[in-house]
Amino acid sequence: MIRIEAGAWAVMLEHAYSAYPRECCGILLGAENPGGERVVSAAFPCRNAYEGDQSDRFQIDPRDQVRANLKCRAEDIDIIGFFHSHPDCDAYFSATDLKNSWPWYSNIVLSIRQGAFAGAGSFRANDDQSQSETEELTYPSALPAPAADVAETAPGVESPS
Amino acid sequence: MAKVLIPTPLRQYAGNQKEVDIAGATVGEILTSLTSEFADLRKHLYTDEGKLRSFVNVYLNDEDVRYLDKDKTAAAPGDTLSIVPSIAGGGR
Ligand SMILES: [Zn+2]
């Protein structure tokens, strides 16, 4: 079971919106309490390091994990998983996701359809990454709106809402 | 002597520690001594042929040791050696 706090959730969605129609990726920081519940207190957005078509691929730059570790050590939290988005695709854990994951971690997939949030799932791989299990996921119901497309907006000009 | 940071999934094989101080003058010496102290870590980090697994990255401070001098990379006292999982994905 994994629960995402509001601040982390906002960072995750904003990162997914800004990467769309490419996949975004990032790191989930938080803790697992003695009851086994995982709480994501911060999300660490990463650059997608995959060299090629990023519409259905992502790769976390290991150096971003080294940086996230600095934050973890300062705040006494841990890297408990990763997140990435599926542009115009459901929030499932693909065979490629499974093969390139690690056991133990929570892997949260965000479905982004036409630039808007369309669902999320959390998955954990077994020890030899032959199968994944769905993990119960809770996240805030209030969603931050997709950010305005800043690339098409002149500096200083407010985008229409 | 370096501080070795253990990724969360492997801490169960390292006495549930987040970081371990390990003596050694090079990255190779430190990893050898780490995996002899915590034998269960070895198969998670190395193949049967004794090569670092492809989905395991080792960073000395913020540099990938594959792009430094690999196992022979010198480690100074106070350096941090991070074991970093490779994470990627994709596909529809
Ligand atoms: Zn995926």
Side-chain angles (χ1 to χ4, degrees):
Chain A
M1 183 168 160
I2 185 164
R3 178 166 59 82
I4 307 174
E5 291 186 343
W9 186 237
V11 168
M12 291 164 68
L13 285 187
E14 273 157 28
H15 193 44
Y17 292 150
S18 67
Y20 181 87
R22 291 169 295 118
E23 288 196 8
C24 78
C25 57
I27 306 173
L28 305 172
L29 310 182
E32 185 176 79
N33 66 36
E37 188 202 26
R38 294 179 172 187
V39 179
V40 178
S41 53
F44 193 94
C46 298
R47 96 188 165 90
N48 185 343
Y50 182 74
E51 291 175 2
D53 180 4
Q54 296 184 350
S55 68
D56 64 353
R57 281 292 173 124
F58 79 93
Q59 187 180 341
I60 303 245
D61 183 342
R63 193 171 269 116
D64 280 337
Q65 289 187 64
V66 173
R67 289 197 190 102
N69 265 329
L70 291 177
K71 183 178 165 71
C72 286
R73 294 172 78 200
E75 301 178 15
D76 196 26
I77 51 178
D78 294 312
I79 294 179
I80 57 173
F82 300 91
F83 69 96
H84 71 280
S85 61
H86 281 179
D88 296 315
C89 195
D90 286 341
Y92 67 95
F93 204 50
S94 74
T96 312
D97 289 337
L98 176 61
K99 200 177 78 187
N100 294 285
S101 68
W102 264 48
W104 192 91
Y105 288 122
S106 295
N107 299 279
I108 292 179
V109 183
L110 304 169
S111 166
I112 307 293
R113 291 197 177 271
Q114 289 160 349
F117 175 71
S122 185
F123 308 90
R124 283 166 73 166
N126 63 354
D127 278 350
D128 62 359
Q129 290 152 271
S130 59
Q131 284 183 56
S132 64
E133 251 182 41
T134 304
E135 177 177 41
E136 188 184 334
L137 166 70
T138 54
Y139 49 81
S141 50
L143 301 177
D149 190 352
V150 286
E152 289 176 14
T153 308
V157 177
E158 264 187 53
S159 51
S161 52
Chain B
M1 179 77 87
K3 201 168 277 302
V4 182
L5 304 191
I6 314 290
T8 334
L10 297 185
R11 289 178 192 163
Q12 56 187 306
Y13 309 112
N16 291 315
Q17 298 176 86
K18 297 183 180 199
E19 45 189 70
V20 204
D21 289 320
I22 299 284
T26 63
V27 167
E29 283 179 26
I30 291 165
L31 290 177
T32 302
S33 132
L34 175 76
T35 52
S36 51
E37 187 169 344
F38 301 104
D40 290 345
L41 265 183
R42 187 163 184 88
K43 71 175 190 306
H44 294 276
L45 300 180
Y46 291 96
T47 63
D48 293 342
E49 293 77 43
K51 290 190 69 174
L52 198 62
R53 291 188 183 277
S54 60
F55 46 82
V56 174
N57 305 291
V58 176
Y59 273 67
L60 183 69
N61 303 318
D62 56 3
E63 293 297 330
D64 188 338
V65 302
R66 286 191 182 98
Y67 301 108
L68 297 172
D69 211 2
K70 302 191 175 73
D71 267 5
K72 297 188 195 70
T73 306
D79 278 349
T80 301
L81 199 67
S82 306
I83 298 168
V84 181
S86 278
I87 303 288
R92 310 219 139 167

